[in-house]
Amino acid sequence: DPDTRLYAIWALGKIGDPAGFDTVLAASQSEDAGVRKMAAYVLGQLRDPRAIPRLKVLAEDRVADVRWNSAIALAQLRDSSGLPVLRSMIDRAALARQAELSSDQVEAAMISALKALSLLRDAESLPQLEKLAQDDPNLRVREAARKAAEATRGRGSTP
């Protein structure tokens, strides 16, 4: 049952036991996009650098949610391979082209990407971060962009 598999993978991430790594890694190869998406998320939560090669593959998945979770997980592991995906996640127009999302889902994706960008402190993303901090219509996105820009400039704490 796909739902049971999905929640089992999620539970392994919540438990955080490194012994679950191989099971989650295997799940990341599932045909079910929901399972791959959850596996990518959990691989980031487990913080095991052995996940980086698989996450790089998942960052090119045909399903946007899988790519997004993979890019965020890579950032949690301080690997910048997912930067192109993260940058597309903070571009409202690019998000609209990638998936059909509600405004709440767009903003949640943007905030998650901004938090990941804070971890990477990528100077090339700074102009885009500063523009969002000034101009985005959503206050939560603007605040997350401001924090990401500060972290990138070397000021403030990372989320």
Side-chain angles (χ1 to χ4, degrees):
D1 169 34
D3 285 340
T4 302
R5 284 181 49 115
L6 191 93
Y7 285 111
I9 295 163
W10 176 79
L12 287 170
K14 284 305 255 184
I15 294 167
D17 185 344
F21 176 81
D22 290 332
T23 301
V24 177
L25 190 64
S28 76
Q29 297 184 34
S30 172
E31 289 297 316
D32 184 309
V35 172
R36 288 194 314 278
K37 171 185 167 181
M38 183 59 70
Y41 169 79
V42 171
L43 287 170
Q45 295 299 303
L46 292 176
R47 305 275 200 285
D48 188 324
R50 294 178 297 161
I52 291 173
R54 180 64 187 149
L55 288 168
K56 287 179 179 181
V57 171
L58 292 171
E60 296 179 14
D61 196 273
R62 68 186 186 283
V63 177
D65 286 345
V66 176
R67 290 191 305 271
W68 298 342
N69 278 6
S70 299
I72 291 166
L74 284 163
Q76 290 169 325
L77 292 164
R78 303 301 195 267
D79 185 289
S80 62
S81 301
L83 272 172
V85 175
L86 293 173
R87 288 181 187 138
S88 75
M89 290 174 69
I90 61 171
D91 178 337
R92 284 181 183 273
L95 276 177
R97 286 190 303 270
Q98 294 180 57
E100 219 173 284
L101 303 170
S102 70
S103 62
D104 286 344
Q105 289 171 318
V106 166
E107 287 149 8
M110 291 178 76
I111 290 168
S112 293
L114 288 163
K115 288 178 179 178
L117 286 165
S118 293
L119 297 172
L120 295 174
R121 299 173 187 241
D122 174 57
E124 288 182 37
S125 299
L126 192 55
Q128 194 175 7
L129 298 174
E130 290 172 335
K131 182 168 177 29
L132 283 174
Q134 289 290 317
D135 300 336
D136 196 82
N138 182 275
L139 290 174
R140 292 183 312 134
V141 171
R142 283 201 315 250
E143 178 63 13
R146 183 190 62 75
K147 287 180 180 178
E150 286 178 359
T152 300
R153 283 190 224 99
R155 300 194 310 258
S157 59
T158 54

